[in-house]
Amino acid sequence: ILNIFDGDFVIDKTKCKTFNQKIQWIKLYGITPLMHKCTDKVLVRDYVAENIGSEYLKPVLQICNLFAEIDFNSLPNSFVIKCNHGCKWHYIIKNKEKYLNNTKLVEITKRQITGWLNQEFWTFNSFEMQYKGLTPQIIIEPLMRDEINTNPREIEIYCFNGIPKIYVNVRYSNKREITYYNQDFSISDLILHPDGNNIIKNEKADEILKQAVELSRELSKDFNFVRVDWLIYNNRLYFNELTFTPYSGFIKFDKKWNRRIGDMMKCL
């Protein structure tokens, strides 16, 4: 396993010490059938409904196998077109009428989504093997933006052997505003991506964050490691996805935290 941020080469899992090293090992050797199922953005909905209830699921407007099957007439003015078998494979449509009147844009979208449906995400994105063999589908969801925020607030809960231990609160303005929390909701000095695109804040934990932690405890109980991702829309908490290999194991953080989080992972 070559990890450019750790500067060494590790194959023996007993020698994997840092978070990034352990994620590399999980990608290649640690994917279970349940992780595979819960990577699928359609199939994971059953897992969520069974464990915490369907009220935390985002609405689904349509599920299709081909772009040509999308019934645009029945869709609202704004929506998101996603592929279920990859990451960041989506298009945001803010105004359906303008979109449909732009035949060139529709053709570009069709070509791109059709291309995604014919690809396996793992083959060109750092061998995240949980994506291998997923049945490609299109899933269409409402564009969940409220009247105040241009983008929804997001929460990420890092869970280790069913225990939530690191919490990340993300708000959007001109830049991402991030607060990191320890297990007791105190402010953490963790910084996952120390770059100019993020503003580090010290926002007090609220009840929605605490609710996300408890629900993540239920959703993570069957996994050695998972990050449970949430979004908040109109002051309600919605499940977003289960992330098993965050940033594909190439997180740019300091060695102290890389090893400290690695020590939390008892899965190897």
Side-chain angles (χ1 to χ4, degrees):
I1 300 167
L2 179 61
N3 191 311
I4 61 175
F5 297 115
D6 294 337
D8 55 0
F9 187 82
V10 179
I11 294 178
D12 184 351
K13 70 177 182 179
T14 63
K15 296 181 180 179
C16 294
K17 303 299 181 183
T18 68
F19 179 74
N20 281 335
Q21 288 174 343
K22 291 184 177 184
I23 291 296
Q24 299 305 325
W25 192 92
I26 289 170
K27 280 163 45 177
L28 297 176
Y29 307 111
I31 303 302
T32 67
L34 183 58
M35 291 165 69
H36 177 70
K37 172 185 175 180
C38 289
T39 298
D40 187 310
K41 291 176 174 56
V42 174
L43 298 181
V44 71
R45 295 175 60 85
D46 292 335
Y47 181 81
V48 173
E50 290 169 5
N51 283 276
I52 62 171
S54 59
E55 63 268 27
Y56 295 102
L57 292 171
K58 292 179 287 184
V60 169
L61 301 174
Q62 293 180 32
I63 297 176
C64 310
N65 295 316
L66 301 170
F67 185 87
E69 296 177 357
I70 299 175
D71 179 8
F72 285 100
N73 291 329
S74 67
L75 293 175
N77 186 55
S78 61
F79 50 90
V80 183
I81 306 175
K82 297 181 178 181
C83 285
N84 68 311
H85 66 303
C87 178
K88 295 183 170 59
W89 280 357
H90 65 265
Y91 267 100
I92 295 175
I93 308 299
K94 297 180 181 179
N95 187 307
K96 182 175 70 172
E97 183 178 358
K98 287 184 177 180
Y99 170 74
L100 294 177
N101 286 334
N102 189 335
T103 56
K104 183 177 181 180
L105 181 57
V106 172
E107 182 57 34
I108 290 172
T109 308
K110 177 182 178 180
R111 190 162 57 244
Q112 180 68 83
I113 292 176
T114 300
W116 289 336
L117 291 172
N118 290 317
Q119 296 180 50
E120 288 228 42
F121 183 77
W122 70 274
T123 60
F124 64 91
N125 195 67
S126 304
F127 291 93
E128 294 181 86
M129 300 300 287
Q130 65 269 34
Y131 290 96
K132 185 177 181 181
L134 296 179
T135 301
Q137 288 184 298
I138 297 168
I139 181 170
I140 304 178
E141 300 171 347
L143 179 57
M144 301 182 77
R145 294 180 175 177
D146 60 33
E147 297 80 7
I148 300 174
N149 299 311
T150 303
N151 289 290
R153 172 187 170 195
E154 298 175 354
I155 293 173
E156 301 170 349
I157 308 296
Y158 287 74
C159 302
F160 304 82
N161 298 100
I163 302 174
K165 292 188 176 182
I166 297 172
Y167 322 142
V168 185
N169 185 77
V170 183
R171 292 187 183 273
Y172 290 89
S173 55
N174 293 328
K175 294 184 178 181
R176 281 164 39 105
E177 300 178 349
I178 303 178
T179 304
Y180 298 94
Y181 305 88
N182 298 309
Q183 192 172 351
D184 62 356
F185 295 100
S186 62
I187 303 297
S188 172
D189 64 350
L190 167 66
I191 300 178
L192 291 175
H193 288 273
D195 56 49
N197 295 321
N198 299 324
I199 298 173
I200 306 303
K201 301 192 73 174
N202 293 331
E203 180 179 333
K204 185 178 179 180
D206 62 6
E207 290 305 314
I208 288 183
L209 176 64
K210 294 175 182 179
Q211 181 187 19
V213 169
E214 291 310 307
L215 292 171
S216 297
R217 193 183 307 278
E218 288 299 311
L219 291 179
S220 66
K221 62 187 179 182
D222 295 318
F223 306 105
N224 292 325
F225 168 78
V226 66
R227 192 187 77 197
V228 186
D229 298 342
W230 304 88
L231 65 82
I232 291 88
Y233 174 65
N234 284 342
N235 211 36
R236 273 195 60 188
L237 192 65
Y238 288 91
F239 170 80
N240 205 9
E241 62 182 302
L242 296 179
T243 300
F244 298 105
T245 53
Y247 306 101
S248 198
F250 295 108
I251 299 180
K252 299 178 182 178
F253 52 7
D254 62 46
K255 290 185 178 180
K256 176 188 75 172
W257 273 104
N258 202 354
R259 180 58 186 265
R260 186 181 296 179
I261 300 177
D263 289 342
M264 296 179 186
M265 301 177 72
K266 307 299 182 183
C267 51
L268 302 185

